[in-house]
Amino acid sequence: MRKRFEEMTVLVTGANRGLGSAFASALVERGAMKVYAAARDPEAIRTPGVTAVGLDVTDHTQLAGLAERLSDVTMVINNSGIHRRTSLFDDDAVDVVESVLRTNLLGTLAVSAAFTPVIIANGAGVIANMLSAGSWLAGPGNLAYAVSKAAALSLTNNMRAELGPKGVQVTAIHAGFIDTDMMAAFPGAKLSPRDVSNAALSAIAEGAQEVLVDEMSWRAKTASALPVPGFPA
């Protein structure tokens, strides 16, 4: 069923900059009924037309209170995420992976679990999880991020199985390198946050369960069925 953003009240996490800000702006432009833009520091949110709210996705007490207060939400975009460079042989690898999982995986789970009853109570709606081509790709220094996004993809699949029968559309959004602060040090070509948000929202409106925004995402998913480089066949 096609979704009409004019009938939806949307919560976007990590909305103070980059892709989260682009999602919030695009939703306002598409006429969303209301857009809650969430960030640890709501004062940092400058997007016109949104309602700024404070949210640390790792703070379960704060999250429970917010879900009670934002009782009109019908759509959540889980965009909050962090990247910390590490590899298997780094002394702090376990600590770094744990910290990234706390936001990228457990934060997504916590927000979804808190707002699923709200969405269902309002007649069902959408949960969209911002994942990555890194859900399937591995690379030097990318251990923590890749593990977190692969785990978040598994979480998304489980959410689909549980929430689909309840009328909640669960969408995974995958993209390659996006021109945000997180990728500021990357010298190669990067996607515009506005292009990513518009592509994702258009696909969500059509009922898509998965959005592969760019060629890198398509190739990464296809390559996931092949042997990992360096592994014995």
Side-chain angles (χ1 to χ4, degrees):
M1 182 182 297
R2 182 175 175 82
K3 301 295 186 297
R4 291 177 51 84
F5 292 112
E6 297 90 343
E7 300 172 352
M8 305 195 79
T9 296
V10 189
L11 170 68
V12 182
T13 67
N16 56 313
R17 60 186 180 180
L19 184 57
S21 177
F23 268 120
S25 293
L27 285 161
V28 171
E29 291 174 4
R30 288 171 183 246
M33 188 179 302
K34 181 180 285 187
V35 179
Y36 294 114
R40 282 190 175 93
D41 177 14
E43 298 296 325
I45 296 170
R46 299 282 187 265
T47 306
V50 306
T51 300
V53 295
L55 175 62
D56 177 349
V57 299
T58 68
D59 185 333
H60 296 178
T61 300
Q62 183 189 41
L63 183 53
L66 189 67
E68 184 175 349
R69 183 156 56 90
L70 307 186
S71 59
D72 54 347
V73 167
T74 57
M75 176 176 175
V76 170
I77 298 180
N78 283 306
N79 172 72
S80 287
I82 62 173
H83 183 286
R84 292 184 62 190
R85 187 173 178 82
T86 193
S87 66
L88 184 64
F89 300 105
D90 291 345
D91 292 339
D92 62 349
V94 172
D95 291 337
V96 171
V97 171
E98 184 177 53
S99 72
V100 173
L101 284 170
R102 194 176 300 120
T103 295
N104 295 4
L105 173 66
L106 299 180
T108 296
L109 171 59
V111 172
S112 300
F115 277 93
T116 289
V118 176
I119 291 171
I120 292 174
N122 289 325
V126 179
I127 298 177
N129 294 336
M130 188 63 216
L131 303 181
S132 171
S135 302
W136 301 290
L137 289 176
N142 202 39
L143 174 67
Y145 188 77
V147 166
S148 73
K149 291 302 182 180
L153 175 57
S154 179
L155 168 64
T156 304
N157 288 333
N158 278 275
M159 288 170 58
R160 288 182 183 130
E162 290 198 45
L163 299 182
K166 299 181 183 299
V168 179
Q169 175 184 326
V170 180
T171 300
I173 306 165
H174 300 275
F177 301 120
I178 306 173
D179 191 11
T180 64
D181 289 350
M182 183 184 293
M183 295 304 302
F186 178 72
K190 289 175 272 193
L191 300 165
S192 157
R194 175 51 63 93
D195 289 345
V196 173
S197 62
N198 278 325
L201 291 176
S202 293
I204 289 168
E206 295 296 333
Q209 285 198 350
E210 181 175 71
V211 187
L212 300 173
V213 172
D214 61 343
E215 187 176 355
M216 177 182 284
S217 300
W218 283 98
R219 288 184 175 182
K221 183 175 183 180
T222 301
S224 67
L226 303 175
V228 175
F231 278 31

